[in-house]
Amino acid sequence: MKFETFRSAILAGICIGIAGFGYLALGGTMGAILFSFGLLAVVNYQLKLFTGTAGFFKKGEGLQLAVILAGNITGCLLVSFLVDVSPMHLDETAMKLLDGRLATGWWKCGLLAIGCGFIMTTVVTFARKGQWIPLLFGVPMFIVCGFPHCIADAFYYLAAPAGFLLDNLFPVLLLYISIVAGNFIGCNLYRVILKK
């Protein structure tokens, strides 16, 4: 079962990586809108995405969430290899994005990531009921608000020049852990507030 979950998570990571590729290529509001392709594909194929699963997990499924996160990152890694062969200078764009995250600081990015997690659980809840409009608005919303998404960020970090990544390895790891934690909290915010 864990292997099937991992395979599904890899494909989900590929979907988000492709969406991130498009965002790096186009940027701006239009790039944020096109990023919705990633989540549309994930939900339609019923793939395992960390931020699409974290708000719905049950007790004892923590290991499964870790497997999903690892699979998503693996999928992003595979798409990041396309950045190396692209004639566009996407690695430089990714580096600027990562540099901006580092300048903002890990704890601020972690807090901002809560917003993304909340949006993700909300739009996935609607999409599972066949209501797609919230997804088409929610994905661009978290991007234009600057709310980090841990899987999209995994792609951006892996797409950045390796030298830059290695020179900032510890700050990037701290940043990434804070974003994962922030997304997780945001994904489960409704459970805390609406606790029965």
PDB file of all heavy atoms in Angstrom, residues 82-120:
ATOM      1  N   LEU A  82      14.088  19.169 -16.246  1.00  0.00           N
ATOM      2  CA  LEU A  82      13.706  19.840 -17.486  1.00  0.00           C
ATOM      3  C   LEU A  82      14.177  21.292 -17.504  1.00  0.00           C
ATOM      4  O   LEU A  82      14.375  21.867 -18.571  1.00  0.00           O
ATOM      5  CB  LEU A  82      12.185  19.787 -17.668  1.00  0.00           C
ATOM      6  CG  LEU A  82      11.564  18.403 -17.839  1.00  0.00           C
ATOM      7  CD1 LEU A  82      10.046  18.502 -17.938  1.00  0.00           C
ATOM      8  CD2 LEU A  82      12.135  17.697 -19.063  1.00  0.00           C
ATOM      9  N   VAL A  83      14.341  21.873 -16.327  1.00  0.00           N
ATOM     10  CA  VAL A  83      14.830  23.247 -16.237  1.00  0.00           C
ATOM     11  C   VAL A  83      16.231  23.338 -16.835  1.00  0.00           C
ATOM     12  O   VAL A  83      16.579  24.318 -17.508  1.00  0.00           O
ATOM     13  CB  VAL A  83      14.826  23.735 -14.771  1.00  0.00           C
ATOM     14  CG1 VAL A  83      15.518  25.090 -14.635  1.00  0.00           C
ATOM     15  CG2 VAL A  83      13.396  23.821 -14.252  1.00  0.00           C
ATOM     16  N   ASP A  84      17.034  22.291 -16.627  1.00  0.00           N
ATOM     17  CA  ASP A  84      18.417  22.284 -17.134  1.00  0.00           C
ATOM     18  C   ASP A  84      18.482  22.277 -18.659  1.00  0.00           C
ATOM     19  O   ASP A  84      19.455  22.749 -19.238  1.00  0.00           O
ATOM     20  CB  ASP A  84      19.172  21.068 -16.586  1.00  0.00           C
ATOM     21  CG  ASP A  84      19.342  21.128 -15.076  1.00  0.00           C
ATOM     22  OD1 ASP A  84      19.373  22.249 -14.536  1.00  0.00           O
ATOM     23  OD2 ASP A  84      19.436  20.068 -14.441  1.00  0.00           O
ATOM     24  N   VAL A  85      17.462  21.721 -19.315  1.00  0.00           N
ATOM     25  CA  VAL A  85      17.489  21.640 -20.783  1.00  0.00           C
ATOM     26  C   VAL A  85      16.622  22.710 -21.448  1.00  0.00           C
ATOM     27  O   VAL A  85      16.607  22.822 -22.664  1.00  0.00           O
ATOM     28  CB  VAL A  85      17.057  20.233 -21.274  1.00  0.00           C
ATOM     29  CG1 VAL A  85      18.015  19.177 -20.763  1.00  0.00           C
ATOM     30  CG2 VAL A  85      15.629  19.905 -20.868  1.00  0.00           C
ATOM     31  N   SER A  86      15.909  23.490 -20.652  1.00  0.00           N
ATOM     32  CA  SER A  86      15.046  24.531 -21.211  1.00  0.00           C
ATOM     33  C   SER A  86      15.882  25.705 -21.705  1.00  0.00           C
ATOM     34  O   SER A  86      16.853  26.110 -21.052  1.00  0.00           O
ATOM     35  CB  SER A  86      14.059  25.015 -20.142  1.00  0.00           C
ATOM     36  OG  SER A  86      13.350  26.135 -20.624  1.00  0.00           O
ATOM     37  N   PRO A  87      15.506  26.289 -22.852  1.00  0.00           N
ATOM     38  CA  PRO A  87      16.222  27.481 -23.328  1.00  0.00           C
ATOM     39  C   PRO A  87      15.905  28.726 -22.493  1.00  0.00           C
ATOM     40  O   PRO A  87      16.613  29.726 -22.584  1.00  0.00           O
ATOM     41  CB  PRO A  87      15.722  27.636 -24.776  1.00  0.00           C
ATOM     42  CG  PRO A  87      14.386  26.973 -24.794  1.00  0.00           C
ATOM     43  CD  PRO A  87      14.476  25.849 -23.791  1.00  0.00           C
ATOM     44  N   MET A  88      14.849  28.644 -21.691  1.00  0.00           N
ATOM     45  CA  MET A  88      14.518  29.769 -20.805  1.00  0.00           C
ATOM     46  C   MET A  88      15.420  29.707 -19.568  1.00  0.00           C
ATOM     47  O   MET A  88      15.858  28.643 -19.173  1.00  0.00           O
ATOM     48  CB  MET A  88      13.046  29.698 -20.389  1.00  0.00           C
ATOM     49  CG  MET A  88      12.082  29.810 -21.556  1.00  0.00           C
ATOM     50  SD  MET A  88      10.345  29.697 -21.047  1.00  0.00           S
ATOM     51  CE  MET A  88      10.160  27.929 -20.857  1.00  0.00           C
ATOM     52  N   HIS A  89      15.660  30.834 -18.966  1.00  0.00           N
ATOM     53  CA  HIS A  89      16.528  30.910 -17.791  1.00  0.00           C
ATOM     54  C   HIS A  89      15.697  30.756 -16.514  1.00  0.00           C
ATOM     55  O   HIS A  89      15.688  31.630 -15.642  1.00  0.00           O
ATOM     56  CB  HIS A  89      17.316  32.217 -17.783  1.00  0.00           C
ATOM     57  CG  HIS A  89      18.192  32.378 -18.984  1.00  0.00           C
ATOM     58  ND1 HIS A  89      19.330  31.628 -19.162  1.00  0.00           N
ATOM     59  CD2 HIS A  89      18.077  33.183 -20.069  1.00  0.00           C
ATOM     60  CE1 HIS A  89      19.903  31.964 -20.299  1.00  0.00           C
ATOM     61  NE2 HIS A  89      19.156  32.901 -20.880  1.00  0.00           N
ATOM     62  N   LEU A  90      15.011  29.625 -16.412  1.00  0.00           N
ATOM     63  CA  LEU A  90      14.116  29.396 -15.280  1.00  0.00           C
ATOM     64  C   LEU A  90      14.868  29.205 -13.976  1.00  0.00           C
ATOM     65  O   LEU A  90      14.327  29.493 -12.902  1.00  0.00           O
ATOM     66  CB  LEU A  90      13.227  28.184 -15.554  1.00  0.00           C
ATOM     67  CG  LEU A  90      12.368  28.256 -16.828  1.00  0.00           C
ATOM     68  CD1 LEU A  90      11.488  27.028 -16.951  1.00  0.00           C
ATOM     69  CD2 LEU A  90      11.526  29.518 -16.841  1.00  0.00           C
ATOM     70  N   ASP A  91      16.113  28.708 -14.053  1.00  0.00           N
ATOM     71  CA  ASP A  91      16.891  28.514 -12.830  1.00  0.00           C
ATOM     72  C   ASP A  91      17.157  29.846 -12.134  1.00  0.00           C
ATOM     73  O   ASP A  91      17.120  29.937 -10.909  1.00  0.00           O
ATOM     74  CB  ASP A  91      18.204  27.777 -13.127  1.00  0.00           C
ATOM     75  CG  ASP A  91      19.065  28.478 -14.161  1.00  0.00           C
ATOM     76  OD1 ASP A  91      18.540  29.303 -14.948  1.00  0.00           O
ATOM     77  OD2 ASP A  91      20.281  28.193 -14.196  1.00  0.00           O
ATOM     78  N   GLU A  92      17.366  30.885 -12.918  1.00  0.00           N
ATOM     79  CA  GLU A  92      17.601  32.214 -12.335  1.00  0.00           C
ATOM     80  C   GLU A  92      16.321  32.754 -11.688  1.00  0.00           C
ATOM     81  O   GLU A  92      16.370  33.359 -10.614  1.00  0.00           O
ATOM     82  CB  GLU A  92      18.089  33.179 -13.417  1.00  0.00           C
ATOM     83  CG  GLU A  92      19.465  32.819 -13.963  1.00  0.00           C
ATOM     84  CD  GLU A  92      19.871  33.710 -15.118  1.00  0.00           C
ATOM     85  OE1 GLU A  92      19.192  34.730 -15.380  1.00  0.00           O
ATOM     86  OE2 GLU A  92      20.887  33.381 -15.766  1.00  0.00           O
ATOM     87  N   THR A  93      15.183  32.510 -12.340  1.00  0.00           N
ATOM     88  CA  THR A  93      13.898  32.939 -11.778  1.00  0.00           C
ATOM     89  C   THR A  93      13.627  32.195 -10.474  1.00  0.00           C
ATOM     90  O   THR A  93      13.170  32.793  -9.491  1.00  0.00           O
ATOM     91  CB  THR A  93      12.762  32.681 -12.780  1.00  0.00           C
ATOM     92  OG1 THR A  93      13.102  33.262 -14.037  1.00  0.00           O
ATOM     93  CG2 THR A  93      11.448  33.272 -12.289  1.00  0.00           C
ATOM     94  N   ALA A  94      13.918  30.885 -10.471  1.00  0.00           N
ATOM     95  CA  ALA A  94      13.732  30.081  -9.260  1.00  0.00           C
ATOM     96  C   ALA A  94      14.641  30.580  -8.133  1.00  0.00           C
ATOM     97  O   ALA A  94      14.228  30.635  -6.973  1.00  0.00           O
ATOM     98  CB  ALA A  94      14.007  28.612  -9.561  1.00  0.00           C
ATOM     99  N   MET A  95      15.874  30.942  -8.496  1.00  0.00           N
ATOM    100  CA  MET A  95      16.820  31.431  -7.488  1.00  0.00           C
ATOM    101  C   MET A  95      16.323  32.741  -6.871  1.00  0.00           C
ATOM    102  O   MET A  95      16.413  32.935  -5.655  1.00  0.00           O
ATOM    103  CB  MET A  95      18.197  31.640  -8.115  1.00  0.00           C
ATOM    104  CG  MET A  95      19.262  32.088  -7.115  1.00  0.00           C
ATOM    105  SD  MET A  95      20.908  32.234  -7.846  1.00  0.00           S
ATOM    106  CE  MET A  95      20.691  33.694  -8.839  1.00  0.00           C
ATOM    107  N   LYS A  96      15.762  33.623  -7.697  1.00  0.00           N
ATOM    108  CA  LYS A  96      15.222  34.886  -7.176  1.00  0.00           C
ATOM    109  C   LYS A  96      14.064  34.634  -6.222  1.00  0.00           C
ATOM    110  O   LYS A  96      13.938  35.284  -5.185  1.00  0.00           O
ATOM    111  CB  LYS A  96      14.773  35.786  -8.335  1.00  0.00           C
ATOM    112  CG  LYS A  96      15.918  36.384  -9.121  1.00  0.00           C
ATOM    113  CD  LYS A  96      15.407  37.195 -10.293  1.00  0.00           C
ATOM    114  CE  LYS A  96      16.566  37.669 -11.163  1.00  0.00           C
ATOM    115  NZ  LYS A  96      16.088  38.290 -12.406  1.00  0.00           N
ATOM    116  N   LEU A  97      13.207  33.661  -6.584  1.00  0.00           N
ATOM    117  CA  LEU A  97      12.075  33.321  -5.721  1.00  0.00           C
ATOM    118  C   LEU A  97      12.570  32.774  -4.387  1.00  0.00           C
ATOM    119  O   LEU A  97      12.104  33.186  -3.323  1.00  0.00           O
ATOM    120  CB  LEU A  97      11.188  32.292  -6.434  1.00  0.00           C
ATOM    121  CG  LEU A  97       9.802  32.056  -5.850  1.00  0.00           C
ATOM    122  CD1 LEU A  97       8.840  31.640  -6.958  1.00  0.00           C
ATOM    123  CD2 LEU A  97       9.804  31.021  -4.764  1.00  0.00           C
ATOM    124  N   LEU A  98      13.531  31.859  -4.449  1.00  0.00           N
ATOM    125  CA  LEU A  98      14.092  31.277  -3.228  1.00  0.00           C
ATOM    126  C   LEU A  98      14.796  32.340  -2.396  1.00  0.00           C
ATOM    127  O   LEU A  98      14.670  32.374  -1.166  1.00  0.00           O
ATOM    128  CB  LEU A  98      15.044  30.136  -3.586  1.00  0.00           C
ATOM    129  CG  LEU A  98      15.819  29.481  -2.446  1.00  0.00           C
ATOM    130  CD1 LEU A  98      14.900  29.016  -1.325  1.00  0.00           C
ATOM    131  CD2 LEU A  98      16.640  28.306  -2.972  1.00  0.00           C
ATOM    132  N   ASP A  99      15.529  33.221  -3.057  1.00  0.00           N
ATOM    133  CA  ASP A  99      16.232  34.305  -2.361  1.00  0.00           C
ATOM    134  C   ASP A  99      15.225  35.198  -1.638  1.00  0.00           C
ATOM    135  O   ASP A  99      15.465  35.646  -0.518  1.00  0.00           O
ATOM    136  CB  ASP A  99      17.054  35.104  -3.371  1.00  0.00           C
ATOM    137  CG  ASP A  99      18.194  35.845  -2.710  1.00  0.00           C
ATOM    138  OD1 ASP A  99      18.728  35.348  -1.692  1.00  0.00           O
ATOM    139  OD2 ASP A  99      18.554  36.937  -3.199  1.00  0.00           O
ATOM    140  N   GLY A 100      14.082  35.439  -2.275  1.00  0.00           N
ATOM    141  CA  GLY A 100      13.028  36.234  -1.644  1.00  0.00           C
ATOM    142  C   GLY A 100      12.465  35.561  -0.405  1.00  0.00           C
ATOM    143  O   GLY A 100      12.199  36.207   0.604  1.00  0.00           O
ATOM    144  N   ARG A 101      12.294  34.229  -0.484  1.00  0.00           N
ATOM    145  CA  ARG A 101      11.813  33.470   0.671  1.00  0.00           C
ATOM    146  C   ARG A 101      12.824  33.580   1.821  1.00  0.00           C
ATOM    147  O   ARG A 101      12.450  33.777   2.976  1.00  0.00           O
ATOM    148  CB  ARG A 101      11.624  31.999   0.316  1.00  0.00           C
ATOM    149  CG  ARG A 101      10.523  31.717  -0.700  1.00  0.00           C
ATOM    150  CD  ARG A 101       9.193  31.451  -0.025  1.00  0.00           C
ATOM    151  NE  ARG A 101       8.290  30.758  -0.901  1.00  0.00           N
ATOM    152  CZ  ARG A 101       7.365  31.318  -1.661  1.00  0.00           C
ATOM    153  NH1 ARG A 101       7.230  32.637  -1.680  1.00  0.00           N
ATOM    154  NH2 ARG A 101       6.561  30.588  -2.411  1.00  0.00           N
ATOM    155  N   LEU A 102      14.097  33.419   1.499  1.00  0.00           N
ATOM    156  CA  LEU A 102      15.137  33.486   2.527  1.00  0.00           C
ATOM    157  C   LEU A 102      15.190  34.872   3.160  1.00  0.00           C
ATOM    158  O   LEU A 102      15.385  35.008   4.367  1.00  0.00           O
ATOM    159  CB  LEU A 102      16.502  33.122   1.938  1.00  0.00           C
ATOM    160  CG  LEU A 102      16.679  31.657   1.538  1.00  0.00           C
ATOM    161  CD1 LEU A 102      17.971  31.480   0.726  1.00  0.00           C
ATOM    162  CD2 LEU A 102      16.704  30.753   2.767  1.00  0.00           C
ATOM    163  N   ALA A 103      14.994  35.907   2.336  1.00  0.00           N
ATOM    164  CA  ALA A 103      15.003  37.279   2.852  1.00  0.00           C
ATOM    165  C   ALA A 103      13.802  37.524   3.766  1.00  0.00           C
ATOM    166  O   ALA A 103      13.903  38.256   4.754  1.00  0.00           O
ATOM    167  CB  ALA A 103      15.001  38.278   1.695  1.00  0.00           C
ATOM    168  N   THR A 104      12.682  36.909   3.459  1.00  0.00           N
ATOM    169  CA  THR A 104      11.491  37.049   4.301  1.00  0.00           C
ATOM    170  C   THR A 104      11.721  36.408   5.667  1.00  0.00           C
ATOM    171  O   THR A 104      11.278  36.928   6.690  1.00  0.00           O
ATOM    172  CB  THR A 104      10.263  36.405   3.615  1.00  0.00           C
ATOM    173  OG1 THR A 104      10.049  37.065   2.367  1.00  0.00           O
ATOM    174  CG2 THR A 104       9.015  36.515   4.470  1.00  0.00           C
ATOM    175  N   GLY A 105      12.418  35.267   5.669  1.00  0.00           N
ATOM    176  CA  GLY A 105      12.722  34.585   6.928  1.00  0.00           C
ATOM    177  C   GLY A 105      11.859  33.359   7.128  1.00  0.00           C
ATOM    178  O   GLY A 105      10.695  33.329   6.696  1.00  0.00           O
ATOM    179  N   TRP A 106      12.429  32.355   7.801  1.00  0.00           N
ATOM    180  CA  TRP A 106      11.749  31.065   7.939  1.00  0.00           C
ATOM    181  C   TRP A 106      10.458  31.160   8.737  1.00  0.00           C
ATOM    182  O   TRP A 106       9.453  30.557   8.402  1.00  0.00           O
ATOM    183  CB  TRP A 106      12.692  30.020   8.527  1.00  0.00           C
ATOM    184  CG  TRP A 106      13.111  30.276   9.938  1.00  0.00           C
ATOM    185  CD1 TRP A 106      14.214  30.956  10.361  1.00  0.00           C
ATOM    186  CD2 TRP A 106      12.433  29.850  11.125  1.00  0.00           C
ATOM    187  NE1 TRP A 106      14.273  31.003  11.730  1.00  0.00           N
ATOM    188  CE2 TRP A 106      13.184  30.323  12.238  1.00  0.00           C
ATOM    189  CE3 TRP A 106      11.267  29.124  11.370  1.00  0.00           C
ATOM    190  CZ2 TRP A 106      12.811  30.083  13.550  1.00  0.00           C
ATOM    191  CZ3 TRP A 106      10.886  28.888  12.686  1.00  0.00           C
ATOM    192  CH2 TRP A 106      11.653  29.366  13.760  1.00  0.00           C
ATOM    193  N   TRP A 107      10.463  31.940   9.821  1.00  0.00           N
ATOM    194  CA  TRP A 107       9.273  31.950  10.671  1.00  0.00           C
ATOM    195  C   TRP A 107       8.121  32.731  10.029  1.00  0.00           C
ATOM    196  O   TRP A 107       6.959  32.360  10.155  1.00  0.00           O
ATOM    197  CB  TRP A 107       9.595  32.464  12.069  1.00  0.00           C
ATOM    198  CG  TRP A 107       9.958  33.913  12.166  1.00  0.00           C
ATOM    199  CD1 TRP A 107      11.197  34.474  12.018  1.00  0.00           C
ATOM    200  CD2 TRP A 107       9.061  34.999  12.435  1.00  0.00           C
ATOM    201  NE1 TRP A 107      11.137  35.832  12.169  1.00  0.00           N
ATOM    202  CE2 TRP A 107       9.837  36.185  12.439  1.00  0.00           C
ATOM    203  CE3 TRP A 107       7.698  35.089  12.683  1.00  0.00           C
ATOM    204  CZ2 TRP A 107       9.290  37.440  12.666  1.00  0.00           C
ATOM    205  CZ3 TRP A 107       7.135  36.342  12.912  1.00  0.00           C
ATOM    206  CH2 TRP A 107       7.938  37.499  12.906  1.00  0.00           C
ATOM    207  N   LYS A 108       8.462  33.789   9.282  1.00  0.00           N
ATOM    208  CA  LYS A 108       7.408  34.525   8.574  1.00  0.00           C
ATOM    209  C   LYS A 108       6.829  33.669   7.454  1.00  0.00           C
ATOM    210  O   LYS A 108       5.608  33.645   7.241  1.00  0.00           O
ATOM    211  CB  LYS A 108       7.960  35.835   8.008  1.00  0.00           C
ATOM    212  CG  LYS A 108       8.249  36.890   9.062  1.00  0.00           C
ATOM    213  CD  LYS A 108       8.760  38.161   8.423  1.00  0.00           C
ATOM    214  CE  LYS A 108       9.094  39.218   9.478  1.00  0.00           C
ATOM    215  NZ  LYS A 108       9.648  40.448   8.868  1.00  0.00           N
ATOM    216  N   CYS A 109       7.702  32.959   6.726  1.00  0.00           N
ATOM    217  CA  CYS A 109       7.224  32.072   5.657  1.00  0.00           C
ATOM    218  C   CYS A 109       6.366  30.949   6.244  1.00  0.00           C
ATOM    219  O   CYS A 109       5.366  30.547   5.642  1.00  0.00           O
ATOM    220  CB  CYS A 109       8.398  31.491   4.872  1.00  0.00           C
ATOM    221  SG  CYS A 109       9.139  32.680   3.724  1.00  0.00           S
ATOM    222  N   GLY A 110       6.751  30.461   7.415  1.00  0.00           N
ATOM    223  CA  GLY A 110       5.961  29.426   8.074  1.00  0.00           C
ATOM    224  C   GLY A 110       4.562  29.912   8.427  1.00  0.00           C
ATOM    225  O   GLY A 110       3.576  29.202   8.228  1.00  0.00           O
ATOM    226  N   LEU A 111       4.478  31.141   8.915  1.00  0.00           N
ATOM    227  CA  LEU A 111       3.165  31.721   9.234  1.00  0.00           C
ATOM    228  C   LEU A 111       2.346  31.958   7.973  1.00  0.00           C
ATOM    229  O   LEU A 111       1.148  31.654   7.923  1.00  0.00           O
ATOM    230  CB  LEU A 111       3.333  33.034  10.001  1.00  0.00           C
ATOM    231  CG  LEU A 111       3.840  32.926  11.445  1.00  0.00           C
ATOM    232  CD1 LEU A 111       4.084  34.311  12.030  1.00  0.00           C
ATOM    233  CD2 LEU A 111       2.850  32.152  12.309  1.00  0.00           C
ATOM    234  N   LEU A 112       2.990  32.486   6.928  1.00  0.00           N
ATOM    235  CA  LEU A 112       2.292  32.718   5.670  1.00  0.00           C
ATOM    236  C   LEU A 112       1.801  31.414   5.054  1.00  0.00           C
ATOM    237  O   LEU A 112       0.742  31.377   4.414  1.00  0.00           O
ATOM    238  CB  LEU A 112       3.219  33.447   4.676  1.00  0.00           C
ATOM    239  CG  LEU A 112       3.537  34.910   5.007  1.00  0.00           C
ATOM    240  CD1 LEU A 112       4.666  35.417   4.119  1.00  0.00           C
ATOM    241  CD2 LEU A 112       2.296  35.781   4.842  1.00  0.00           C
ATOM    242  N   ALA A 113       2.547  30.336   5.262  1.00  0.00           N
ATOM    243  CA  ALA A 113       2.184  29.024   4.703  1.00  0.00           C
ATOM    244  C   ALA A 113       0.877  28.501   5.294  1.00  0.00           C
ATOM    245  O   ALA A 113       0.204  27.664   4.671  1.00  0.00           O
ATOM    246  CB  ALA A 113       3.314  28.025   4.941  1.00  0.00           C
ATOM    247  N   ILE A 114       0.506  28.980   6.475  1.00  0.00           N
ATOM    248  CA  ILE A 114      -0.775  28.572   7.074  1.00  0.00           C
ATOM    249  C   ILE A 114      -1.919  28.973   6.144  1.00  0.00           C
ATOM    250  O   ILE A 114      -2.867  28.208   5.936  1.00  0.00           O
ATOM    251  CB  ILE A 114      -0.947  29.199   8.474  1.00  0.00           C
ATOM    252  CG1 ILE A 114       0.097  28.621   9.436  1.00  0.00           C
ATOM    253  CG2 ILE A 114      -2.368  28.968   9.001  1.00  0.00           C
ATOM    254  CD1 ILE A 114       0.156  29.319  10.790  1.00  0.00           C
ATOM    255  N   GLY A 115      -1.821  30.162   5.546  1.00  0.00           N
ATOM    256  CA  GLY A 115      -2.850  30.618   4.621  1.00  0.00           C
ATOM    257  C   GLY A 115      -3.000  29.692   3.429  1.00  0.00           C
ATOM    258  O   GLY A 115      -4.115  29.373   3.004  1.00  0.00           O
ATOM    259  N   CYS A 116      -1.882  29.238   2.890  1.00  0.00           N
ATOM    260  CA  CYS A 116      -1.921  28.319   1.755  1.00  0.00           C
ATOM    261  C   CYS A 116      -2.576  26.995   2.148  1.00  0.00           C
ATOM    262  O   CYS A 116      -3.410  26.466   1.406  1.00  0.00           O
ATOM    263  CB  CYS A 116      -0.506  28.063   1.230  1.00  0.00           C
ATOM    264  SG  CYS A 116      -0.447  26.850  -0.091  1.00  0.00           S
ATOM    265  N   GLY A 117      -2.208  26.468   3.300  1.00  0.00           N
ATOM    266  CA  GLY A 117      -2.792  25.207   3.754  1.00  0.00           C
ATOM    267  C   GLY A 117      -4.298  25.295   3.905  1.00  0.00           C
ATOM    268  O   GLY A 117      -5.032  24.393   3.507  1.00  0.00           O
ATOM    269  N   PHE A 118      -4.761  26.413   4.470  1.00  0.00           N
ATOM    270  CA  PHE A 118      -6.207  26.604   4.635  1.00  0.00           C
ATOM    271  C   PHE A 118      -6.912  26.651   3.281  1.00  0.00           C
ATOM    272  O   PHE A 118      -7.949  26.012   3.075  1.00  0.00           O
ATOM    273  CB  PHE A 118      -6.485  27.886   5.424  1.00  0.00           C
ATOM    274  CG  PHE A 118      -7.951  28.153   5.601  1.00  0.00           C
ATOM    275  CD1 PHE A 118      -8.691  27.434   6.524  1.00  0.00           C
ATOM    276  CD2 PHE A 118      -8.599  29.109   4.833  1.00  0.00           C
ATOM    277  CE1 PHE A 118     -10.057  27.658   6.683  1.00  0.00           C
ATOM    278  CE2 PHE A 118      -9.953  29.347   4.973  1.00  0.00           C
ATOM    279  CZ  PHE A 118     -10.688  28.619   5.903  1.00  0.00           C
ATOM    280  N   ILE A 119      -6.335  27.394   2.351  1.00  0.00           N
ATOM    281  CA  ILE A 119      -6.914  27.484   1.005  1.00  0.00           C
ATOM    282  C   ILE A 119      -6.934  26.107   0.346  1.00  0.00           C
ATOM    283  O   ILE A 119      -7.928  25.717  -0.271  1.00  0.00           O
ATOM    284  CB  ILE A 119      -6.138  28.505   0.141  1.00  0.00           C
ATOM    285  CG1 ILE A 119      -6.383  29.927   0.659  1.00  0.00           C
ATOM    286  CG2 ILE A 119      -6.524  28.384  -1.327  1.00  0.00           C
ATOM    287  CD1 ILE A 119      -5.498  30.989   0.025  1.00  0.00           C
ATOM    288  N   MET A 120      -5.848  25.352   0.479  1.00  0.00           N
ATOM    289  CA  MET A 120      -5.762  24.042  -0.174  1.00  0.00           C
ATOM    290  C   MET A 120      -6.847  23.087   0.316  1.00  0.00           C
ATOM    291  O   MET A 120      -7.521  22.436  -0.483  1.00  0.00           O
ATOM    292  CB  MET A 120      -4.376  23.435   0.044  1.00  0.00           C
ATOM    293  CG  MET A 120      -3.284  24.080  -0.784  1.00  0.00           C
ATOM    294  SD  MET A 120      -3.516  23.837  -2.560  1.00  0.00           S
ATOM    295  CE  MET A 120      -3.273  22.076  -2.673  1.00  0.00           C
TER     296      MET A 120
END
